[in-house]
Amino acid sequence: MRFKVNREQFANVLSDFLLILKENPIKPIIVGLKIEVTNENIILTGTNLESTLIKKVEGEILEEGTIIIKPQLMLEYIKLLDIENLEIYSDKNSLFVHQAEFVTMDTEEYPRIEEYLPIEVIKYNSDDFSKALEKTKFSSYQTADNLALNCVRVIFSQDKTEFVSTDSYRLTYLKENVKAIMNKEFSIPLESVNALIKLLKDIGKEVTVGFSDKYLLFTWENNYYATRIIELPYPDFKQILGYDNFDKFMEFNTPEYKSALKKVLTVARTSYDKKYGAIFDFKGKMLKIESQSGRGKTVQKVNMLKDGDNFKGSLNIKFILEFLNNISKNLIIKATNSSSMFKMQEFENEDYIYILMPLALRD
């Protein structure tokens, strides 16, 4: 096998594969990257058995062949070079890149990867899809011990596209006016969501989203990404979103509110029994936020517009900041009492909603 490629472009491609290639003690071969050179294409394939990435790379083909290699060390070496083009070739059990030699793996052990032909659901701008996942994913259950929630739920319909995530303590909902060919719903594993965000961010391409059996498929230019979907039932979130029996309404300047929360977080993160928790005292035209631990105490005040009675509530500061990092206009908070859910959204934006359950109030 022998081919020539642009060094910088090849390094960028290798970096993409590190998003999904993970060490696997049960099947070590899947940490390897498959490089296949045919008389027409240079094809790179990586898989962790749950998701697969296939890329076709432009270059000059000199000799056909196939090898499997762990890409991490090769990528580190290629990044250090200052030449424009690389000639890469294999001989026996080694891959040669410039003046370096890397050990290859047994191609016979590599799993057979099937490239599915997708049933098309929608075409989406890559940057918009990446941003939608980014604005939603933070309230997913963060570990795989709860697979039903360790995901982002994407609902494609013929009049809109919706993104939802929840860890049962909070819920994030985003609606975009992108129309699909058909009505379909998928739960995308959080690990695949993180990979998709990085793969699609800032490339400015049209992505075709489709499905085949248990896989959700993304194709753009010379790229193919497949992820197994989570088939467990997703919680009925629409009833929660539909609740609107609030009698307290607050409005805040977002930068001012974020600044105060960050100061309180310095203490709240050190609390052993109520990590990230603080008391929020909504009184008059001023919100007082208080947190204390064995290592310190702080009280911050924030101006607000309020309609409704004064009340107190206990909330997770880190959770609020994760939502505030995704908005720019004023923050609107709707509430009923200290033990009921809080609804947050950006001013004049009904398409991006955050539901947060309070903590047990301890004054």
Side-chain angles (χ1 to χ4, degrees):
M1 181 193 74
R2 186 184 294 263
F3 61 95
K4 293 181 179 180
V5 289
N6 176 273
R7 181 194 64 83
E8 184 177 357
Q9 292 178 357
F10 194 64
N12 291 336
V13 169
L14 292 178
S15 297
D16 287 343
F17 281 95
L18 298 190
L19 298 172
I20 63 171
L21 295 179
K22 312 293 182 182
E23 293 288 348
N24 189 313
I26 299 175
K27 200 172 183 66
I29 189 66
I30 67 170
V31 77
L33 173 67
K34 180 181 178 182
I35 303 178
E36 181 182 8
V37 179
T38 69
N39 60 357
E40 296 181 345
N41 295 302
I42 303 167
I43 306 169
L44 277 62
T45 302
T47 186
N48 57 24
L49 301 183
E50 295 298 316
S51 61
T52 296
L53 177 63
I54 301 174
K55 285 177 168 283
K56 293 180 181 178
V57 181
E58 294 183 358
E60 181 183 354
I61 296 169
L62 303 174
E63 184 180 345
E64 297 180 61
T66 302
I67 60 100
I68 310 295
I69 188 168
K70 291 186 176 182
Q72 290 87 344
L73 185 60
M74 180 173 64
L75 175 59
E76 290 178 20
Y77 176 75
I78 290 174
K79 284 182 175 180
L80 294 173
L81 300 176
D82 58 3
I83 58 176
E84 182 177 356
N85 296 307
L86 290 172
E87 182 172 341
I88 300 173
Y89 67 94
S90 62
D91 184 29
K92 296 181 180 179
N93 297 321
S94 295
L95 185 71
F96 296 86
V97 182
H98 192 54
Q99 298 174 351
E101 177 182 352
F102 303 95
V103 177
T104 59
M105 306 171 76
D106 186 359
T107 57
E108 297 297 323
E109 295 183 6
Y110 197 77
R112 181 177 177 274
I113 303 300
E114 182 177 355
E115 188 170 346
Y116 298 98
L117 184 64
I119 300 172
E120 184 178 333
V121 176
I122 196 170
K123 292 187 183 297
Y124 224 112
N125 176 273
S126 58
D127 297 350
D128 292 342
F129 196 82
S130 174
K131 289 175 183 177
L133 292 176
E134 186 78 62
K135 292 178 70 172
T136 313
K137 69 161 189 168
F138 60 87
S139 59
S140 301
Y141 197 90
Q142 296 298 303
T143 56
D145 55 306
N146 189 341
L147 277 177
L149 303 182
N150 181 229
C151 62
V152 171
R153 185 74 167 180
V154 184
I155 302 128
F156 299 107
S157 63
Q158 293 173 300
D159 61 345
K160 62 181 179 295
T161 300
E162 300 165 286
F163 299 81
V164 185
S165 70
T166 182
D167 58 8
S168 76
Y169 298 103
R170 52 183 173 156
L171 183 149
T172 305
Y173 171 86
L174 173 65
K175 182 182 77 174
E176 294 206 330
N177 296 318
V178 183
K179 300 177 181 180
I181 298 173
M182 64 179 74
N183 299 333
K184 294 292 290 185
E185 299 184 20
F186 303 97
S187 290
I188 309 176
L190 185 58
E191 185 175 340
S192 296
V193 167
N194 290 329
L196 279 167
I197 288 171
K198 293 179 181 178
L199 288 170
L200 300 179
K201 187 175 183 179
D202 297 332
I203 64 172
K205 305 296 180 182
E206 183 180 69
V207 177
T208 298
V209 184
F211 69 97
S212 178
D213 192 23
K214 299 177 181 180
Y215 289 88
L216 190 60
L217 311 174
F218 299 81
T219 56
W220 66 101
E221 287 193 325
N222 293 318
N223 298 267
Y224 168 96
Y225 180 78
T227 175
R228 187 185 295 273
I229 57 176
I230 295 174
E231 298 182 278
L232 297 171
Y234 199 74
D236 182 8
F237 62 90
K238 294 183 179 179
Q239 185 176 358
I240 297 173
L241 285 177
Y243 178 84
D244 202 32
N245 192 27
F246 300 103
D247 58 10
K248 298 173 179 63
F249 305 87
M250 287 74 69
E251 181 176 343
F252 298 90
N253 175 275
T254 294
E256 182 185 356
Y257 194 41
K258 283 177 65 175
S259 176
L261 288 179
K262 288 178 180 179
K263 294 181 178 70
V264 178
L265 185 63
T266 59
V267 172
R269 64 160 55 102
T270 66
S271 175
Y272 179 77
D273 61 338
K274 193 68 68 176
K275 195 170 185 181
Y276 303 126
I279 302 295
F280 289 68
D281 187 358
F282 300 92
K283 187 175 182 179
K285 296 183 178 180
M286 186 71 67
L287 165 65
K288 184 173 71 174
I289 312 170
E290 179 179 352
S291 183
Q292 59 182 324
S293 70
R295 301 173 63 179
K297 176 181 179 179
T298 185
V299 177
Q300 297 293 322
K301 295 181 178 180
V302 186
N303 295 308
M304 67 175 175
L305 300 176
K306 182 169 69 68
D307 182 12
D309 296 336
N310 298 332
F311 77 112
K312 289 184 179 182
S314 184
L315 296 169
N316 185 308
I317 296 174
K318 179 174 177 289
F319 285 179
I320 301 174
L321 281 170
E322 287 177 330
F323 178 69
L324 294 182
N325 288 335
N326 289 288
I327 66 173
S328 56
K329 297 180 182 178
N330 281 2
L331 172 70
I332 305 298
I333 299 180
K334 301 178 183 180
T336 305
N337 53 53
S338 62
S339 59
S340 299
M341 71 181 192
F342 287 66
K343 184 175 184 178
M344 304 181 188
Q345 60 194 78
E346 191 175 29
F347 180 70
E348 293 184 333
N349 185 358
E350 296 287 341
D351 294 338
Y352 190 39
I353 297 171
Y354 190 47
I355 304 294
L356 181 60
M357 295 303 296
L359 305 170
L361 184 61
R362 296 181 62 184
D363 203 343

